Amino acid sequence: AFDNGITFFDSAEAYGPLEVERILGEAVEPFRNSVRIATKFGWNIDQETGQRLPGLNSKPDHIKLVVEGMLKRLRTDRIDLLYQHRVDPEVPIEDVAGAIKDLMVQGKVLHWGLSEMGPNTLRRAHTTLPVTAVQNEYSMLWRGPEKEIIPICEELGIGFVTWSPLGVAFLTGAIDGNTRFAQGDIRGIESRFSPENLPDNLKLVEIVKRWAQLKEATPAQIALAWLMAQKNWIVPIPGTTQMAHMLDNKGAAEVKFTPDEITELNSEVRAFEV
C-alpha cells in the first residue's frame, strides 16, 4: 500500500483486539514519518491480555493507559489521529476531551476525533477541544450522515472519514440475489442484505455499474469517487484483504466527474430508497 502511495492507515485497539495495532506498527516502522496513523479507544479491553470486558470505557485514566499501550504496539511516539470509537454514556464528553488535551500537551496525540456520535455530542466535544475528524459509516448504500453530521462538519471545519464506503463489498458488484452469508458474517443479520430486500437494493448496484462503464472504471472506483466528489474533506477508508482490491480502490483517486455528471449521479443515488 505504501509503495503505491497510500499514506493513511486506520486501526483500533478493538481490532484483534490489539493485534491489528501490533501488525500495523511492525509494518510501517521503516517509513513511520511518511504516513499518518489513526486508531481508536473506547471499548473496555484489558491492555495486557486483549480480553474484551463488558461495556465501554472512556474514563480519563483508562484513556491514558490505553494510549500508552497503543504507542508500544504501534512502535511510535505519537498517534496522528485518535478517535473515541463509541461514545461512553457514563463519561461526559468534556472529560474525554480533557484527557485527550493532556495527551496532546505531552505530544502523544496530535489530533482527535469521534466515531458514530450524535450531533449534540459532536458540538460539545468541539467546543471543549477542536475536533479534527469524524469517522462514520457513509456510502451510496447508507447516506444517514447527510442529514445532520456532514452539515455540522462543514460548519465547524471538521473532516469526515467514511467507514464501509463500499457498503461491505455490496457496491463492488460482488454480491447478487443468490448470495448467502456465512455464519458470523454481520451482513447475514443486516436487513438491507436480507433475501426479501436484496433484490430491490441491487438496483443501486446497477446504477453504479452503468456509471463504471461510462467512466471506464470499476464499480468500486465509482462508489469511492462519488464519496470524494461530495466534499473535498471527505476521505473514504476502504478495507481490503487482497492486493488486487487495494490497487483497484487506489484507482478511484483518478476518477473525476464533471459538474453535470456529479449532479446527474447524485440525483440518481438520492432518488433511490435503500
Side-chain angles (χ1 to χ4, degrees), residues 1 28 40 45 61 73 77 82 91 93 113 128 136 149 162-163 168 170 184 188 191 195 218 224-225 237 249 270:
V28 305
K40 313 175 199 75
I45 295 170
D61 288 347
R73 291 188 292 273
D77 60 352
L82 180 68
V91 182
I93 198 65
T128 307
N136 278 26
I149 299 301
T162 79
W163 64 264
V168 280
F170 181 74
S191 60
T218 66
L224 295 171
I237 47 167
N249 293 340
R270 287 174 180 144

Side-chain angles (χ1 to χ4, degrees), residues 35-271:
V35 300
R36 299 290 176 267
I37 294 175
T39 194
K40 313 175 199 75
F41 68 88
W43 300 100
N44 200 10
I45 295 170
D46 186 296
Q47 294 299 295
E48 295 298 322
T49 64
Q51 182 184 1
R52 181 177 278 189
L53 306 169
L56 298 159
N57 192 341
S58 281
K59 293 175 183 173
D61 288 347
H62 183 72
I63 293 171
K64 293 174 182 179
L65 178 69
V66 168
V67 166
E68 291 304 322
M70 288 172 164
L71 294 172
K72 288 176 185 171
R73 291 188 292 273
L74 291 165
R75 304 188 188 188
T76 186
D77 60 352
R78 81 279 184 196
I79 295 163
D80 299 296
L81 175 55
L82 180 68
Y83 296 100
Q84 184 186 41
H85 209 158
R86 291 293 183 273
V87 173
D88 184 345
E90 301 297 319
V91 182
I93 198 65
E94 291 81 3
D95 293 355
V96 175
I100 303 298
K101 188 172 184 178
D102 291 344
L103 291 162
M104 285 180 170
V105 169
Q106 296 169 27
K108 294 175 180 178
V109 172
L110 304 188
H111 305 275
W112 87 299
L114 296 94
S115 182
E116 297 297 342
M117 71 292 113
N120 293 335
T121 298
L122 178 57
R123 288 187 181 278
R124 285 169 51 199
H126 188 74
T127 298
T128 307
L129 183 66
V131 173
T132 294
V134 159
Q135 184 177 135
N136 278 26
E137 182 180 8
Y138 181 40
S139 69
M140 289 178 170
L141 189 65
W142 171 247
R143 303 192 311 276
E146 292 176 351
K147 186 177 179 183
E148 288 186 286
I149 299 301
I150 288 177
I152 291 173
C153 287
E154 186 152 42
E155 173 196 341
L156 300 178
I158 298 170
F160 191 100
V161 176
T162 79
W163 64 264
S164 199
L166 297 173
V168 280
F170 181 74
L171 297 167
T172 68
I175 293 169
D176 63 28
N178 297 315
T179 301
R180 296 296 178 265
F181 301 101
Q183 191 170 2
D185 189 324
I186 193 169
R187 292 172 294 186
I189 58 171
E190 284 197 4
S191 60
R192 55 191 167 182
F193 301 124
S194 66
E196 61 270 24
N197 291 337
L198 191 57
D200 286 326
N201 289 336
L202 282 167
K203 294 168 190 169
L204 177 61
V205 179
E206 293 307 312
I207 295 172
V208 179
K209 286 180 175 177
R210 180 161 41 81
W211 277 88
Q213 203 166 14
L214 180 70
K215 301 296 289 182
E216 297 182 343
T218 66
Q221 289 170 349
I222 293 296
L224 295 171
W226 177 81
L227 283 166
M228 292 186 284
Q230 301 308 303
K231 305 287 180 183
N232 62 7
W233 37 268
I234 288 180
V235 178
I237 47 167
T240 178
T241 57
Q242 296 184 33
M243 181 76 76
H245 293 170
M246 184 268 291
L247 295 172
D248 184 48
N249 293 340
K250 177 192 174 250
E254 308 304 317
V255 177
K256 306 295 180 188
F257 299 105
T258 67
D260 286 347
E261 284 174 338
I262 196 61
T263 298
E264 184 182 347
L265 179 53
N266 278 342
S267 67
E268 288 188 55
V269 170
R270 287 174 180 144

Side-chain angles (χ1 to χ4, degrees), residues 2 6-9 28 31-37 78 80:
F2 178 71
I6 294 170
T7 58
F8 183 46
F9 294 90
V28 305
F31 44 83
R32 171 66 185 96
N33 292 332
S34 299
V35 300
R36 299 290 176 267
I37 294 175
R78 81 279 184 196
D80 299 296

